[in-house]
Amino acid sequence: MDREFIAERQKGLQNYLNVITTNHILSNCELVKKFLDPNNYSASYTEIALQQVSMFFRSEPKWEVVEPLKDIGWRIRKKYFLMKIKNQPKERLVLSWADLGPDKYLSDKDFQCLIKLLPSCLHPYIYRITFATANESSALLIRMFNEKGTLKDLIYKAKPKDPFLRKYCNPKKIQGLELQQIKTYGRQILEVLKFLHDKGFPYGHLHASNVMLEGDACRLLDLENSLLGLPSFYRSYFSQFRKINTLESVDVHCFGHLLYEMTYGRPPDSVPVDSFPPAPSMAVVAVLESTLSCEACKNGMPTVSRLLQMPLFSDVLLTTSEKPQFKIPTKLKEALRIAKECIEKRLIEEQKQIHQHRRLTRAQSHHGSEEERKKRKILARKKSKRSAVENSEEHSAKYSNSNNSGSGASSPLTSPSSPTPPSTAVEHAPF
């Protein structure tokens, strides 16, 4: 219990925690959250999910749970189960269950209607939803299980069923994709983002684990996340930049992260990115600079249409014949528009708070630095000496005036040099 040893150990543990919390994947890990904030992360989310799923299956007996898919995702409050249909036992499906997040602004009625509308969304680059339902506190969706896994699984050479941390936190081999894959996948993802933006459907959840691979096609996952109000995987990045303040600009910034990962086989060490490693083409670097560079983060993101016109994607030919289809009733479109504005408003408020906190921290750091303390001490000494000299001169002038105007008897007995200068007190005052 030696004090010096404890102080040293405390410093070491703080450094250890700093490293963990600055790692994007580890900082979102349930074990880390529970350790740092046990009061808010005490519930067993797997049990809650099982209860909700079991209640649903009472009225839908055709589905059967095969097994829980433990920790395959990064979200603490989203759980996955491998499923099958009783009369089609060979087919495998994945059920995802998630509760509401802080950005759920839809009314319960509109929320449930929109969730149930998702299976009707048909697009060559959106992963088809087999079944979707919701209650006032959560949503449950079923999709086909894909043995190939996601785009992130392809980049990291990972098995889809393995836990998220094991798959992506410490990859053994880091290798980006071929240029033609980058061009094709990038173009497909931009096309589906443009489709959703044109429909007025908020997304904001683009990352490599939300892109499923089917043959040579990328298909977007988790359209329900924005309806549930869940936070984005990259929120801790774009919340730092006040110019990334719409869901469209969030999607473009997230696309920059995804393109970096496709190109280099790993996420960027930090954002904004000052300089980019050698890439298969300068056209790739041009897109990365427009979405992840200091200038881009400071001045704002390009539009999806602008990215589609850039040389990297403009010459990509898409050979799909499937016609996109997603009919959203006018009333629900208006509800989505209002919810989108509320999500953006909360993001802007959060960005403002982060900006103010940064300014305050910088000011305190500057004010508390050794150099600044010395400067303030020297200035205070100079000021106190100056005021002492001024007081002394003023006193002398008064004495001189009283001698000239009055008699000797009425003159003060003290000499002008006798008062103690106030500088002594100031000299020894602590700073």
Side-chain angles (χ1 to χ4, degrees), residues 5 21 33 46 61 70 75 107 141 148 169 182 203 209 220 229 320 335 390 410 414:
F5 173 77
T21 52
K33 299 261 190 188
T46 304
K70 289 185 178 179
R75 290 188 190 278
S107 69
L141 290 92
K148 281 185 76 176
C169 203
I182 295 169
Y203 186 52
S209 289
L220 219 60
T320 179
E390 283 169 3
S410 62
T414 52

Side-chain angles (χ1 to χ4, degrees), residues 100-164:
L100 302 178
D103 276 322
K104 192 262 186 183
Y105 293 106
L106 292 162
S107 69
D108 288 347
K109 186 182 175 183
D110 290 340
F111 166 65
Q112 289 175 34
C113 287
L114 279 161
I115 289 287
K116 288 173 183 176
L117 200 66
L118 290 178
S120 70
C121 178
L122 300 175
H123 192 283
Y125 308 123
I126 290 176
Y127 199 66
R128 185 78 190 270
I129 295 166
T130 306
F131 178 86
T133 190
N135 57 27
E136 61 281 350
S137 64
S138 62
L140 178 154
L141 290 92
I142 298 174
R143 297 173 172 93
M144 293 302 295
F145 177 70
N146 189 328
E147 295 286 348
K148 281 185 76 176
T150 64
L151 182 54
K152 202 171 181 84
D153 292 328
L154 173 70
I155 295 167
Y156 288 74
K157 314 289 187 290
K159 294 175 184 175
K161 284 188 184 180
D162 283 349
F164 197 85

Side-chain angles (χ1 to χ4, degrees), residues 234-250:
Y234 291 119
R235 190 177 182 92
S236 59
Y237 289 94
F238 60 72
S239 59
Q240 309 291 320
F241 310 114
R242 297 177 80 180
K243 287 287 183 179
I244 306 173
N245 52 20
T246 65
L247 285 182
E248 286 84 357
S249 61
V250 163

Side-chain angles (χ1 to χ4, degrees), residues 144-376:
M144 293 302 295
F145 177 70
N146 189 328
E147 295 286 348
K148 281 185 76 176
T150 64
L151 182 54
K152 202 171 181 84
D153 292 328
L154 173 70
I155 295 167
Y156 288 74
K157 314 289 187 290
K159 294 175 184 175
K161 284 188 184 180
D162 283 349
F164 197 85
L165 280 177
R166 188 186 300 167
K167 286 191 287 188
Y168 311 130
C169 203
N170 189 23
K172 290 174 183 175
K173 191 179 180 184
I174 293 170
Q175 187 181 350
L177 303 181
E178 298 290 327
L179 180 60
Q180 195 52 49
Q181 286 178 306
I182 295 169
K183 287 167 72 74
T184 305
Y185 295 161
R187 175 67 190 257
Q188 291 171 350
I189 291 162
L190 288 172
E191 287 290 345
V192 73
L193 288 178
K194 189 174 187 307
F195 172 77
L196 292 173
H197 295 173
D198 291 346
K199 287 285 179 184
F201 190 93
Y203 186 52
H205 293 273
L206 180 64
H207 60 93
S209 289
N210 271 354
V211 179
M212 192 67 83
L213 285 176
E214 276 194 318
D216 294 327
C218 278
R219 300 186 192 269
L220 219 60
L221 288 166
D222 286 8
L223 296 190
E224 69 274 15
N225 283 0
S226 58
L227 306 180
L228 281 153
L230 302 179
S232 169
F233 183 64
Y234 291 119
R235 190 177 182 92
S236 59
Y237 289 94
F238 60 72
S239 59
Q240 309 291 320
F241 310 114
R242 297 177 80 180
K243 287 287 183 179
I244 306 173
N245 52 20
T246 65
L247 285 182
E248 286 84 357
S249 61
V250 163
D251 280 337
V252 171
H253 181 69
C254 293
F255 178 79
H257 282 264
L258 175 55
L259 182 63
Y260 190 103
E261 209 165 350
M262 283 198 289
T263 306
Y264 302 113
R266 60 180 181 83
D269 294 327
S270 62
V271 176
V273 181
D274 295 323
S275 61
F276 296 92
S281 164
M282 284 308 294
V284 177
V285 177
V287 179
L288 290 172
E289 284 177 342
S290 72
T291 53
L292 295 179
S293 67
C294 295
E295 191 180 345
C297 293
K298 188 179 177 183
N299 299 328
M301 297 290 111
T303 61
V304 170
S305 298
R306 172 75 192 95
L307 291 183
L308 282 165
Q309 291 165 5
M310 293 183 81
L312 184 63
F313 307 116
S314 60
D315 63 348
V316 177
L317 292 172
L318 300 178
T319 55
T320 179
S321 57
E322 190 181 338
K323 192 179 177 183
Q325 187 180 318
F326 192 19
K327 289 180 182 176
I328 305 171
T330 308
K331 189 187 171 188
L332 290 178
K333 272 190 177 179
E334 181 60 17
L336 278 174
R337 186 188 66 78
I338 295 166
K340 179 175 171 287
E341 285 177 1
C342 292
I343 292 168
E344 290 169 350
K345 188 179 176 183
R346 193 177 84 86
L347 173 61
I348 290 165
E349 284 300 312
E350 188 177 307
Q351 289 170 334
K352 200 182 288 182
Q353 287 175 7
I354 290 170
H355 182 69
Q356 287 170 349
H357 177 72
R358 273 180 172 171
R359 285 181 65 184
L360 184 65
T361 306
R362 278 200 301 266
Q364 285 173 343
S365 175
H366 178 69
H367 207 62
S369 68
E370 192 63 36
E371 194 179 332
E372 273 300 299
R373 282 203 294 270
K374 282 178 183 175
K375 278 184 186 176
R376 288 201 302 277

